[in-house]
Amino acid sequence: MRALSGLWRWRRNPLRRTTDLAEAWVALVALVLIAAAAPVAGCLAGAAAQDSLQRAVREQQHTRHLVTATVVRDLGEAPLETDPDTTTARETRSRVLAEWTAPDGTQRHGPALAELKSPHPGDRFRLWTDPQGRITTRPLDSPTATTHAVLAGIGAALLTVGLVEGARRLTVWRMVQGRYARWDQAWDRAGPDWGKAGTGS
């Protein structure tokens, strides 16, 4: 919005300086870039993220398998949740020693997080594994991937706006510094006698 404040400098005014007009052009260019480049950058980044994430969704759904495991014994309180996309409350998960059959047919056993409030030996629960039977997180789903892609697009658009506005401010700052330098040179040329009666006569 501050870019709009420079547009008043186009009005005809005998006191308007060249740098005022230059600042107005910088403001206009920044406004056009924000209006045009930010949406384009957001769409391109979002589309690229969507393609990448949807490929990851397909790969994970192909390589991750939901198997049934059996509780051997309870291992106590579950650690902090490592899957940020999980919708299961932490208090419903328990850490147990379990055994399960991998997708390749081999028998596996080890610690696992079970969605059981009070697990007992012989209880059964479901967990995600890779093709070799190693425990992994659940595969990314398509709606979650789309949400992440939208957020990536919004982030790219905001970053573009920030970069354009930062470039505008830097350009205006350089113009102001140049103006101050020219004022200092003008004061130096005027000399210490400026303003005294009879000076220059």
Side-chain angles (χ1 to χ4, degrees), residues 24 32 66 72 89 197:
V32 169
L66 192 59
V72 176

Side-chain angles (χ1 to χ4, degrees), residues 67-75 94-102 107-116 119-127 129 135:
V67 301
T68 301
T70 304
V71 175
V72 176
R73 64 184 171 89
D74 187 5
L75 294 179
S94 303
R95 190 165 179 265
V96 299
L97 182 65
E99 54 186 21
W100 62 93
T101 302
Q107 293 295 317
R108 293 279 185 164
H109 68 277
L113 291 178
E115 296 180 8
L116 302 169
H120 301 286
D123 287 349
R124 297 168 76 83
F125 64 97
R126 307 276 274 171
L127 56 80
T129 69
I135 296 175

